[in-house]
Amino acid sequence: MIKILFVCHGNICRSPMAEFVMKDLLAQAGLSHQFTVASAATSTEEIWNGVGNPVYPPARKKLAEHGIGCEGKRAVQLTGADYDRYDYLIGMDRANIRNMTRMCGGDPERKISLLLSWAGVERDIADPWYSGDFDATYEDVLEGCQALLKKIGLEKFRHEKR
């Protein structure tokens, strides 16, 4: 079982988009049973009295345009224990990576990475909360998730078949 945690600042736009895009890609590939995929925030800004806010409506709408649902998802915060719980902790931007590394007490196993780095692109995924460009964010998330799946998922299964 491969365990992936996507992380952004508030867990209401980018990281839940990545979570549900990846779940959709896995379902299409018939690999859902081989993966656990979730998302979390580095901040508590979208969590009130222990209850997280749902996915931001424009992000929900963008996912729905592609036939992807995200019902029931609520913001949760990354914890230090998540480092041991997940195989990959994937941040959306460099500020997320810095905060993730601090919150996890470092990255001795090199589990923390930038999503677009899996696609060979060393840039941040813009936060649509500020940019308003949910199309660009969706395209970046899709590119990163496709590359991540290709590199960690399909390679793993290719080696297991030998």
Side-chain angles (χ1 to χ4, degrees):
M1 177 75 61
I2 297 172
K3 299 175 185 170
I4 303 168
L5 183 67
F6 293 104
V7 181
C8 70
H9 182 75
N11 193 216
I12 61 167
C13 294
R14 294 173 295 172
S15 62
M17 287 176 81
E19 173 186 349
F20 290 97
V21 164
M22 181 59 88
K23 285 178 177 179
D24 186 61
L25 292 172
L26 291 166
Q28 290 176 38
L31 298 173
S32 297
H33 63 288
Q34 296 289 339
F35 287 79
T36 296
V37 181
S39 63
T42 58
S43 77
T44 57
E45 290 177 21
E46 297 297 333
I47 302 167
W48 303 93
N49 297 321
V51 178
N53 286 328
V55 176
Y56 189 51
R60 258 195 331 260
K61 181 181 176 196
K62 181 51 58 187
L63 289 170
E65 287 173 13
H66 296 275
I68 302 170
C70 59
E71 293 75 27
K73 172 65 184 171
R74 293 195 164 272
V76 297
Q77 188 179 30
L78 173 74
T79 69
D82 288 328
Y83 192 82
D84 292 326
R85 196 173 294 131
Y86 290 92
D87 302 307
Y88 299 91
L89 291 90
I90 314 290
M92 301 297 123
D93 64 38
R94 285 174 186 84
N96 301 150
I97 299 297
R98 283 190 303 276
N99 288 330
M100 292 162 64
T101 303
R102 179 184 48 79
M103 294 170 77
C104 292
D107 184 18
E109 296 177 46
R110 303 184 57 82
K111 295 181 176 186
I112 297 174
S113 62
L114 191 65
L115 180 56
L116 282 175
S117 69
W118 290 91
V121 179
E122 292 298 325
R123 70 173 167 80
D124 296 343
I125 295 177
D127 191 339
W129 176 267
Y130 300 105
S131 72
D133 192 347
F134 287 85
D135 293 325
T137 297
Y138 179 86
E139 292 304 320
D140 282 350
V141 163
L142 179 61
E143 179 182 2
C145 286
Q146 287 171 331
L148 177 63
L149 179 57
K150 182 177 180 185
K151 289 190 177 166
I152 67 167
L154 300 180
E155 279 300 313
K156 177 186 185 311
F157 297 107
R158 189 173 300 127
H159 291 295
E160 285 181 358
K161 291 180 181 179
R162 290 184 184 165

